[in-house]
Amino acid sequence: MSTYNVTLIPGDGIGPEVTEATRRVLESIGIRFNWEYQQAGMIAYEQTGDTLPEATLDSVRRNKVGLKGPITTPIGTGFRSVNVGLRQALGLYTNLRPGKTIKGVQSTFEDIDLIVVRENMEGMYSGVEFDTGTPEAGEVIGKINDLSARKVAIDAAISIKVITPEGVRRIVRFAFKYARANGRKKVTIVHKANIMKFTEGLFLKIGQEIAAEYPDIESNDRIVDNMCMQLMQKPQEYDVLVMENLFGDIVSDLVAGMVGGLGVAPGGNIGDGIAVFEPIHGSAPSHAGKNEANPVAMILSGAMMLRYLGEQSSAEKVENAVADVIASGDRVTYDLREDRDPAKAGGTSGMADAIIERVTGRYPQA
Ligand code: NAD
Protein backbone atom coordinates (compact mmCIF):
# COMPACT_ATOMS: atom_id res chain seq x y z
CA MET A 1 0.00 0.00 0.00
CA SER A 2 1.39 3.43 -0.92
CA THR A 3 1.84 6.24 1.58
CA TYR A 4 0.63 9.70 0.62
CA ASN A 5 2.78 12.66 1.62
CA VAL A 6 0.38 15.50 2.39
CA THR A 7 1.10 19.01 3.68
CA LEU A 8 -1.28 19.69 6.57
CA ILE A 9 -1.93 23.35 7.40
CA PRO A 10 -4.17 23.58 10.51
CA GLY A 11 -4.77 27.36 10.14
CA ASP A 12 -6.41 29.74 12.62
CA GLY A 13 -9.51 29.86 14.83
CA ILE A 14 -11.45 26.59 14.52
CA GLY A 15 -8.90 25.36 11.94
CA PRO A 16 -6.78 23.19 14.25
CA GLU A 17 -9.86 21.44 15.70
CA VAL A 18 -11.55 20.63 12.38
CA THR A 19 -8.20 19.65 10.85
CA GLU A 20 -7.47 17.22 13.68
CA ALA A 21 -10.97 15.70 13.32
CA THR A 22 -10.32 15.28 9.58
CA ARG A 23 -6.89 13.72 10.05
CA ARG A 24 -8.40 11.13 12.40
CA VAL A 25 -11.26 10.30 9.99
CA LEU A 26 -8.92 9.94 6.99
CA GLU A 27 -6.54 7.71 8.91
CA SER A 28 -9.41 5.50 10.06
CA ILE A 29 -9.97 4.33 6.44
CA GLY A 30 -6.67 2.47 6.57
CA ILE A 31 -4.86 4.57 3.97
CA ARG A 32 -1.35 5.58 5.06
CA PHE A 33 -0.56 9.29 5.21
CA ASN A 34 2.68 11.02 6.01
CA TRP A 35 1.38 14.38 7.27
CA GLU A 36 3.83 17.24 6.97
CA TYR A 37 2.57 19.89 9.43
CA GLN A 38 3.13 23.47 8.25
CA GLN A 39 1.80 26.82 9.41
CA ALA A 40 0.14 29.74 7.60
CA GLY A 41 -1.86 32.71 8.88
CA MET A 42 -1.87 34.36 12.30
CA ILE A 43 -0.15 31.42 14.04
CA ALA A 44 2.62 31.45 11.42
CA TYR A 45 2.95 35.21 11.86
CA GLU A 46 3.37 34.89 15.64
CA GLN A 47 5.97 32.14 15.22
CA THR A 48 7.95 33.36 12.20
CA GLY A 49 6.89 36.96 11.47
CA ASP A 50 5.57 35.75 8.11
CA THR A 51 1.91 34.85 7.41
CA LEU A 52 2.86 32.59 4.52
CA PRO A 53 6.31 31.11 5.22
CA GLU A 54 8.34 29.87 2.24
CA ALA A 55 8.72 26.51 4.07
CA THR A 56 4.94 26.02 3.84
CA LEU A 57 4.88 26.76 0.11
CA ASP A 58 7.92 24.51 -0.46
CA SER A 59 6.24 21.68 1.41
CA VAL A 60 3.13 21.82 -0.85
CA ARG A 61 5.33 22.13 -3.96
CA ARG A 62 7.19 18.99 -2.87
CA ASN A 63 4.17 16.92 -1.83
CA LYS A 64 1.89 18.25 -4.63
CA VAL A 65 -1.09 18.00 -2.32
CA GLY A 66 -2.19 19.86 0.79
CA LEU A 67 -5.08 19.94 3.24
CA LYS A 68 -5.68 23.31 4.84
CA GLY A 69 -7.82 24.76 7.62
CA PRO A 70 -9.24 28.30 7.41
CA ILE A 71 -7.06 31.34 8.00
CA THR A 72 -7.99 34.64 9.65
CA THR A 73 -7.59 37.73 7.47
CA PRO A 74 -8.23 40.91 9.50
CA ILE A 75 -10.42 43.30 7.48
CA GLY A 76 -8.97 46.58 6.17
CA THR A 77 -5.61 46.32 7.94
CA GLY A 78 -3.33 45.98 4.94
CA PHE A 79 -2.71 42.36 6.05
CA ARG A 80 -2.96 40.61 2.65
CA SER A 81 -5.10 37.51 2.41
CA VAL A 82 -2.93 34.45 2.93
CA ASN A 83 -5.43 32.42 0.93
CA VAL A 84 -5.06 34.64 -2.12
CA GLY A 85 -1.25 34.61 -1.66
CA LEU A 86 -1.12 30.81 -1.37
CA ARG A 87 -3.31 30.26 -4.44
CA GLN A 88 -1.24 32.68 -6.49
CA ALA A 89 2.16 31.38 -5.30
CA LEU A 90 1.24 27.78 -6.14
CA GLY A 91 -0.67 28.47 -9.38
CA LEU A 92 -3.89 26.99 -7.96
CA TYR A 93 -6.10 28.57 -10.62
CA THR A 94 -9.25 26.54 -10.01
CA ASN A 95 -11.46 26.70 -6.95
CA LEU A 96 -13.79 23.73 -7.09
CA ARG A 97 -16.82 24.00 -4.83
CA PRO A 98 -19.49 21.29 -4.95
CA GLY A 99 -22.90 22.01 -3.42
CA LYS A 100 -24.77 18.76 -2.82
CA THR A 101 -27.76 18.19 -0.56
CA ILE A 102 -26.93 15.93 2.39
CA LYS A 103 -29.97 14.17 3.86
CA GLY A 104 -30.64 15.36 7.40
CA VAL A 105 -29.09 18.81 6.98
CA GLN A 106 -31.74 21.48 7.40
CA SER A 107 -32.07 23.63 4.28
CA THR A 108 -34.74 25.36 2.22
CA PHE A 109 -33.81 23.48 -0.95
CA GLU A 110 -33.89 19.75 -1.73
CA ASP A 111 -31.93 17.59 -4.16
CA ILE A 112 -29.33 20.21 -5.01
CA ASP A 113 -26.34 18.94 -6.95
CA LEU A 114 -24.29 21.83 -8.31
CA ILE A 115 -20.60 22.36 -8.99
CA VAL A 116 -19.17 25.89 -8.84
CA VAL A 117 -15.86 26.28 -10.72
CA ARG A 118 -14.38 29.58 -9.63
CA GLU A 119 -11.32 31.18 -11.23
CA ASN A 120 -8.87 31.61 -8.39
CA MET A 121 -6.01 33.88 -9.46
CA GLU A 122 -7.25 36.89 -11.39
CA GLY A 123 -10.51 38.83 -11.84
CA MET A 124 -11.31 41.26 -9.03
CA TYR A 125 -8.90 39.42 -6.70
CA SER A 126 -5.84 40.06 -8.86
CA GLY A 127 -4.17 41.70 -5.87
CA VAL A 128 -3.44 44.88 -7.88
CA GLU A 129 -4.70 47.58 -5.50
CA PHE A 130 -3.81 51.18 -4.62
CA ASP A 131 -4.88 52.80 -1.37
CA THR A 132 -6.68 56.14 -1.18
CA GLY A 133 -4.39 59.16 -0.99
CA THR A 134 -1.14 57.32 -1.84
CA PRO A 135 1.27 58.67 -4.48
CA GLU A 136 0.86 55.37 -6.41
CA ALA A 137 -2.94 55.75 -6.51
CA GLY A 138 -2.51 59.37 -7.61
CA GLU A 139 -0.22 58.30 -10.46
CA VAL A 140 -2.57 55.53 -11.60
CA ILE A 141 -5.60 57.84 -11.43
CA GLY A 142 -3.72 60.56 -13.33
CA LYS A 143 -2.95 58.08 -16.13
CA ILE A 144 -6.53 56.82 -16.20
CA ASN A 145 -7.84 60.39 -16.43
CA ASP A 146 -5.47 61.05 -19.36
CA LEU A 147 -6.71 58.00 -21.23
CA SER A 148 -10.37 57.61 -20.23
CA ALA A 149 -13.40 59.75 -21.02
CA ARG A 150 -14.80 58.75 -17.64
CA LYS A 151 -12.80 60.57 -14.92
CA VAL A 152 -11.87 59.11 -11.52
CA ALA A 153 -11.75 61.19 -8.31
CA ILE A 154 -8.15 61.77 -7.19
CA ASP A 155 -8.82 60.38 -3.68
CA ALA A 156 -10.31 57.11 -4.96
CA ALA A 157 -9.02 53.72 -3.81
CA ILE A 158 -8.36 51.48 -6.80
CA SER A 159 -8.69 47.70 -7.31
CA ILE A 160 -7.84 46.41 -10.76
CA LYS A 161 -9.83 43.61 -12.36
CA VAL A 162 -7.60 41.48 -14.56
CA ILE A 163 -8.92 38.90 -17.03
CA THR A 164 -6.45 37.28 -19.39
CA PRO A 165 -7.26 35.08 -22.40
CA GLU A 166 -5.09 32.28 -20.98
CA GLY A 167 -6.72 32.62 -17.55
CA VAL A 168 -10.18 32.17 -19.09
CA ARG A 169 -9.08 29.32 -21.35
CA ARG A 170 -7.69 27.22 -18.52
CA ILE A 171 -10.58 27.73 -16.09
CA VAL A 172 -13.31 27.11 -18.67
CA ARG A 173 -11.41 24.10 -19.98
CA PHE A 174 -11.20 22.79 -16.41
CA ALA A 175 -15.00 23.11 -16.10
CA PHE A 176 -15.67 21.18 -19.30
CA LYS A 177 -13.05 18.52 -18.55
CA TYR A 178 -14.51 18.13 -15.06
CA ALA A 179 -18.01 17.79 -16.55
CA ARG A 180 -16.83 15.13 -19.00
CA ALA A 181 -14.85 13.17 -16.40
CA ASN A 182 -17.66 13.22 -13.84
CA GLY A 183 -20.69 12.45 -16.01
CA ARG A 184 -22.02 15.99 -15.85
CA LYS A 185 -24.32 17.18 -18.62
CA LYS A 186 -24.12 20.96 -18.77
CA VAL A 187 -21.72 23.87 -18.18
CA THR A 188 -23.07 27.40 -17.64
CA ILE A 189 -20.68 30.33 -18.23
CA VAL A 190 -21.59 32.98 -15.63
CA HIS A 191 -20.53 36.58 -16.38
CA LYS A 192 -21.42 40.26 -16.45
CA ALA A 193 -20.47 40.96 -20.07
CA ASN A 194 -23.37 43.39 -20.52
CA ILE A 195 -21.70 45.92 -18.18
CA MET A 196 -17.98 45.05 -18.08
CA LYS A 197 -17.62 44.85 -21.85
CA PHE A 198 -13.91 44.12 -21.97
CA THR A 199 -13.05 41.96 -18.95
CA GLU A 200 -16.31 40.03 -18.72
CA GLY A 201 -16.80 40.29 -22.49
CA LEU A 202 -13.50 38.44 -22.89
CA PHE A 203 -14.56 35.83 -20.33
CA LEU A 204 -17.76 35.13 -22.27
CA LYS A 205 -16.17 35.19 -25.75
CA ILE A 206 -13.34 32.82 -24.90
CA GLY A 207 -15.64 30.74 -22.73
CA GLN A 208 -17.90 30.17 -25.73
CA GLU A 209 -14.91 29.26 -27.94
CA ILE A 210 -13.84 26.62 -25.42
CA ALA A 211 -17.43 25.35 -25.11
CA ALA A 212 -17.40 24.65 -28.86
CA GLU A 213 -14.50 22.20 -28.27
CA TYR A 214 -16.81 20.04 -26.09
CA PRO A 215 -19.88 19.29 -28.27
CA ASP A 216 -20.82 16.36 -25.98
CA ILE A 217 -21.44 18.75 -23.06
CA GLU A 218 -24.38 21.13 -23.29
CA SER A 219 -23.48 24.76 -22.58
CA ASN A 220 -25.17 28.10 -22.06
CA ASP A 221 -24.42 31.42 -20.34
CA ARG A 222 -26.11 33.53 -17.68
CA ILE A 223 -25.53 37.05 -16.36
CA VAL A 224 -24.45 36.66 -12.73
CA ASP A 225 -27.38 38.52 -11.10
CA ASN A 226 -29.89 36.55 -13.15
CA MET A 227 -27.92 33.39 -12.28
CA CYS A 228 -28.48 34.05 -8.56
CA MET A 229 -32.20 34.53 -9.09
CA GLN A 230 -32.48 31.41 -11.24
CA LEU A 231 -30.63 29.35 -8.62
CA MET A 232 -33.35 30.37 -6.17
CA GLN A 233 -36.17 29.54 -8.62
CA LYS A 234 -35.05 26.54 -10.69
CA PRO A 235 -31.72 25.17 -9.46
CA GLN A 236 -32.45 21.76 -11.05
CA GLU A 237 -31.82 23.32 -14.48
CA TYR A 238 -28.15 23.90 -13.63
CA ASP A 239 -25.20 21.58 -13.27
CA VAL A 240 -21.62 22.97 -13.54
CA LEU A 241 -21.20 26.76 -13.26
CA VAL A 242 -17.94 28.50 -14.23
CA MET A 243 -17.07 32.14 -13.47
CA GLU A 244 -14.41 34.65 -12.45
CA ASN A 245 -13.07 35.00 -8.93
CA LEU A 246 -15.37 37.47 -7.14
CA PHE A 247 -18.57 36.11 -8.70
CA GLY A 248 -17.40 32.59 -7.82
CA ASP A 249 -16.75 33.58 -4.23
CA ILE A 250 -20.27 34.94 -3.85
CA VAL A 251 -22.17 32.33 -5.89
CA SER A 252 -20.42 29.44 -4.12
CA ASP A 253 -21.46 30.81 -0.72
CA LEU A 254 -25.00 31.13 -2.08
CA VAL A 255 -24.89 27.49 -3.21
CA ALA A 256 -23.41 26.50 0.18
CA GLY A 257 -26.43 28.20 1.79
CA MET A 258 -28.74 26.17 -0.45
CA VAL A 259 -27.36 22.90 0.90
CA GLY A 260 -27.37 23.87 4.56
CA GLY A 261 -24.58 26.38 5.11
CA LEU A 262 -20.86 26.74 5.43
CA GLY A 263 -20.51 23.97 8.01
CA VAL A 264 -21.04 21.31 5.32
CA ALA A 265 -19.45 22.94 2.22
CA PRO A 266 -16.07 21.57 1.06
CA GLY A 267 -13.68 22.98 -1.54
CA GLY A 268 -10.48 22.41 -3.43
CA ASN A 269 -7.88 24.68 -5.02
CA ILE A 270 -6.41 22.95 -8.04
CA GLY A 271 -3.58 23.82 -10.42
CA ASP A 272 -1.63 21.73 -12.91
CA GLY A 273 -0.50 18.68 -10.91
CA ILE A 274 -0.86 20.41 -7.53
CA ALA A 275 -3.84 20.94 -5.22
CA VAL A 276 -4.80 22.23 -1.75
CA PHE A 277 -8.16 21.20 -0.29
CA GLU A 278 -9.98 23.38 2.26
CA PRO A 279 -13.49 24.09 3.49
CA ILE A 280 -15.29 27.18 2.19
CA HIS A 281 -15.87 28.51 5.69
CA GLY A 282 -13.58 30.86 7.57
CA SER A 283 -11.88 30.59 10.95
CA ALA A 284 -15.12 31.33 12.90
CA PRO A 285 -13.20 32.88 15.83
CA SER A 286 -16.21 32.89 18.19
CA HIS A 287 -16.27 29.06 18.10
CA ALA A 288 -12.51 28.54 18.37
CA GLY A 289 -11.15 26.33 21.13
CA LYS A 290 -14.63 25.23 22.30
CA ASN A 291 -14.82 21.86 20.53
CA GLU A 292 -18.15 22.90 18.99
CA ALA A 293 -17.35 23.75 15.33
CA ASN A 294 -18.76 21.51 12.64
CA PRO A 295 -15.93 19.40 11.13
CA VAL A 296 -18.00 18.18 8.14
CA ALA A 297 -16.88 20.79 5.57
CA MET A 298 -13.25 20.01 6.39
CA ILE A 299 -13.84 16.22 6.39
CA LEU A 300 -15.61 16.43 3.02
CA SER A 301 -12.68 18.51 1.73
CA GLY A 302 -10.53 15.56 2.83
CA ALA A 303 -12.83 13.27 0.81
CA MET A 304 -12.33 15.54 -2.22
CA MET A 305 -8.60 15.14 -1.67
CA LEU A 306 -9.03 11.34 -1.67
CA ARG A 307 -10.83 11.56 -5.04
CA TYR A 308 -7.99 13.73 -6.36
CA LEU A 309 -5.54 11.05 -5.21
CA GLY A 310 -7.57 8.40 -7.06
CA GLU A 311 -8.97 6.84 -3.87
CA GLN A 312 -12.59 6.95 -5.08
CA SER A 313 -14.02 4.13 -2.95
CA SER A 314 -12.40 5.51 0.23
CA ALA A 315 -13.81 8.96 -0.57
CA GLU A 316 -17.25 7.43 -0.97
CA LYS A 317 -16.84 5.60 2.35
CA VAL A 318 -16.11 8.90 4.13
CA GLU A 319 -18.97 10.74 2.37
CA ASN A 320 -21.42 7.95 3.22
CA ALA A 321 -20.29 7.88 6.85
CA VAL A 322 -20.75 11.66 7.13
CA ALA A 323 -24.21 11.46 5.52
CA ASP A 324 -25.17 8.57 7.80
CA VAL A 325 -24.12 10.40 10.98
CA ILE A 326 -25.98 13.55 9.92
CA ALA A 327 -29.11 11.61 8.92
CA SER A 328 -29.16 9.76 12.24
CA GLY A 329 -28.67 12.99 14.17
CA ASP A 330 -26.20 11.04 16.28
CA ARG A 331 -23.60 13.20 18.04
CA VAL A 332 -23.80 15.98 15.44
CA THR A 333 -22.56 19.51 16.19
CA TYR A 334 -25.00 22.12 17.47
CA ASP A 335 -25.51 23.80 14.07
CA LEU A 336 -26.93 20.55 12.65
CA ARG A 337 -29.47 20.18 15.45
CA GLU A 338 -32.99 21.58 15.18
CA ASP A 339 -32.77 23.05 18.71
CA ARG A 340 -29.20 24.34 18.09
CA ASP A 341 -28.45 23.46 21.71
CA PRO A 342 -24.67 23.09 22.24
CA ALA A 343 -25.31 21.26 25.54
CA LYS A 344 -26.99 18.35 23.69
CA ALA A 345 -24.64 18.43 20.70
CA GLY A 346 -21.81 16.06 19.86
CA GLY A 347 -18.95 18.52 19.62
CA THR A 348 -16.23 18.54 16.98
CA SER A 349 -14.30 15.52 18.26
CA GLY A 350 -17.46 13.60 19.21
CA MET A 351 -18.85 13.97 15.70
CA ALA A 352 -15.53 12.84 14.27
CA ASP A 353 -15.72 9.76 16.55
CA ALA A 354 -19.22 8.96 15.26
CA ILE A 355 -18.00 9.24 11.64
CA ILE A 356 -14.97 7.03 12.40
CA GLU A 357 -17.23 4.39 13.92
CA ARG A 358 -19.22 4.26 10.64
CA VAL A 359 -16.06 4.21 8.50
CA THR A 360 -14.54 1.35 10.47
CA GLY A 361 -17.79 -0.57 10.92
CA ARG A 362 -17.50 -0.38 14.70
CA TYR A 363 -20.91 1.30 14.89
CA PRO A 364 -23.57 -1.19 16.07
CA GLN A 365 -26.02 -1.76 13.20
CA ALA A 366 -29.76 -1.80 14.01
P1 NAD B 1 -16.75 32.31 8.82
O1 NAD B 1 -16.97 31.27 7.76
O2 NAD B 1 -15.60 32.10 9.72
O3 NAD B 1 -18.07 32.41 9.72
C1 NAD B 1 -19.35 32.73 9.15
C2 NAD B 1 -20.44 32.15 10.04
O4 NAD B 1 -20.50 30.74 9.91
C3 NAD B 1 -20.22 32.42 11.53
O5 NAD B 1 -21.46 32.56 12.16
C4 NAD B 1 -19.54 31.16 11.99
O6 NAD B 1 -19.69 30.94 13.35
C5 NAD B 1 -20.23 30.09 11.15
N1 NAD B 1 -19.37 28.95 10.86
C6 NAD B 1 -18.37 28.90 9.92
N2 NAD B 1 -17.80 27.71 9.91
C7 NAD B 1 -18.43 26.97 10.85
C8 NAD B 1 -18.27 25.62 11.31
N3 NAD B 1 -17.35 24.79 10.79
N4 NAD B 1 -19.09 25.19 12.29
C9 NAD B 1 -20.02 25.99 12.83
N5 NAD B 1 -20.23 27.26 12.43
C10 NAD B 1 -19.43 27.75 11.45
O7 NAD B 1 -16.67 33.71 8.06
P2 NAD B 1 -16.26 35.16 8.60
O8 NAD B 1 -16.81 35.34 9.99
O9 NAD B 1 -16.65 36.08 7.53
O10 NAD B 1 -14.68 35.12 8.66
C11 NAD B 1 -13.90 34.87 9.83
C12 NAD B 1 -12.43 34.87 9.41
O11 NAD B 1 -12.18 33.79 8.49
C13 NAD B 1 -12.00 36.15 8.69
O12 NAD B 1 -10.72 36.52 9.12
C14 NAD B 1 -11.98 35.74 7.21
O13 NAD B 1 -11.05 36.51 6.46
C15 NAD B 1 -11.53 34.30 7.33
N6 NAD B 1 -11.89 33.46 6.17
C16 NAD B 1 -10.98 32.54 5.79
C17 NAD B 1 -11.28 31.67 4.75
C18 NAD B 1 -10.24 30.64 4.37
O14 NAD B 1 -9.23 30.51 5.05
N7 NAD B 1 -10.42 29.92 3.28
C19 NAD B 1 -12.52 31.71 4.13
C20 NAD B 1 -13.45 32.65 4.57
C21 NAD B 1 -13.13 33.52 5.61
Side-chain angles (χ1 to χ4, degrees):
M1 189 200 292
S2 56
T3 300
Y4 293 107
N5 295 325
V6 177
T7 302
L8 194 63
I9 306 169
D12 299 317
I14 60 171
E17 296 160 71
V18 294
T19 307
E20 176 58 12
T22 303
R23 184 194 63 76
R24 289 172 51 227
V25 169
L26 294 181
E27 285 188 358
S28 75
I29 310 164
I31 294 178
R32 283 209 301 261
F33 293 97
N34 176 21
W35 304 107
E36 208 172 294
Y37 276 82
Q38 295 289 339
Q39 293 296 355
M42 302 302 276
I43 294 175
Y45 186 72
E46 283 156 23
Q47 290 176 356
T48 67
D50 189 354
T51 54
L52 185 55
E54 203 51 41
T56 301
L57 294 172
D58 280 345
S59 169
V60 186
R61 285 188 191 111
R62 213 174 28 250
N63 294 327
K64 308 274 184 234
V65 62
L67 189 59
K68 172 187 160 296
I71 284 170
T72 300
T73 305
I75 295 171
T77 54
F79 183 98
R80 258 204 87 201
S81 165
V82 175
N83 294 309
V84 174
L86 184 119
R87 292 163 191 171
Q88 292 192 342
L90 298 175
L92 305 172
Y93 59 84
T94 301
N95 196 186
L96 186 63
R97 295 184 165 187
K100 196 169 179 353
T101 299
I102 305 174
K103 203 167 150 268
V105 176
Q106 295 166 51
S107 69
T108 322
F109 294 84
E110 283 172 11
D111 300 326
I112 299 298
D113 188 5
L114 292 161
I115 302 286
V116 178
V117 176
R118 163 190 172 191
E119 203 290 325
N120 230 1
M121 289 174 62
E122 41 184 51
M124 273 314 294
Y125 294 0
S126 66
V128 185
E129 293 197 288
F130 301 96
D131 203 359
T132 176
T134 58
E136 293 81 7
E139 214 171 302
V140 171
I141 292 165
K143 201 73 196 162
I144 292 171
N145 288 343
D146 286 347
L147 297 172
S148 165
R150 164 92 167 78
K151 305 300 175 200
V152 176
I154 195 68
D155 58 352
I158 302 278
S159 296
I160 306 281
K161 174 164 177 147
V162 176
I163 301 276
T164 64
E166 188 43 36
V168 183
R169 259 180 228 119
R170 64 187 183 183
I171 194 65
V172 178
R173 251 193 206 117
F174 181 97
F176 277 93
K177 277 189 190 162
Y178 181 91
R180 197 179 260 174
N182 291 278
R184 297 274 174 169
K185 302 275 175 285
K186 182 154 100 180
V187 173
T188 301
I189 300 164
V190 184
H191 62 88
K192 191 75 186 175
N194 54 330
I195 304 294
M196 286 175 270
K197 306 277 184 204
F198 302 130
T199 49
E200 288 296 310
L202 185 67
F203 195 92
L204 177 59
K205 178 176 160 289
I206 294 189
Q208 287 172 331
E209 284 169 15
I210 302 296
E213 295 172 11
Y214 296 83
D216 52 318
I217 306 289
E218 195 189 329
S219 73
N220 61 3
D221 74 275
R222 290 286 178 272
I223 293 173
V224 62
D225 38 347
N226 181 30
M227 182 77 255
C228 292
M229 189 194 67
Q230 298 226 357
L231 284 175
M232 294 300 102
Q233 289 189 325
K234 36 189 172 181
Q236 269 72 27
E237 287 188 11
Y238 295 93
D239 190 350
V240 177
L241 314 174
V242 60
M243 64 205 83
E244 69 89 45
N245 211 332
L246 173 64
F247 299 162
D249 198 2
I250 297 167
V251 172
S252 57
D253 267 33
L254 181 83
V255 170
M258 293 169 74
V259 298
L262 293 173
V264 295
N269 302 290
I270 304 168
D272 291 326
I274 184 164
V276 175
F277 295 86
E278 63 175 339
I280 291 184
H281 64 69
S283 55
S286 66
H287 297 292
K290 297 180 182 164
N291 191 32
E292 63 186 23
N294 187 345
V296 165
M298 185 82 201
I299 292 169
L300 292 179
S301 302
M304 280 178 77
M305 181 184 81
L306 292 176
R307 285 189 189 281
Y308 179 81
L309 294 170
E311 298 283 354
Q312 314 300 340
S313 66
S314 296
E316 219 165 280
K317 222 187 233 182
V318 171
E319 288 158 356
N320 290 341
V322 166
D324 193 22
V325 169
I326 292 175
S328 71
D330 176 21
R331 290 182 279 165
V332 296
T333 47
Y334 80 95
D335 56 311
L336 294 171
R337 292 179 59 88
E338 212 153 328
D339 59 11
R340 293 182 77 84
D341 182 353
K344 295 184 189 150
T348 311
S349 55
M351 187 166 183
D353 290 340
I355 294 167
I356 290 167
E357 285 168 20
R358 259 70 166 199
V359 168
T360 56
R362 277 192 275 116
Y363 183 73
Q365 301 295 321

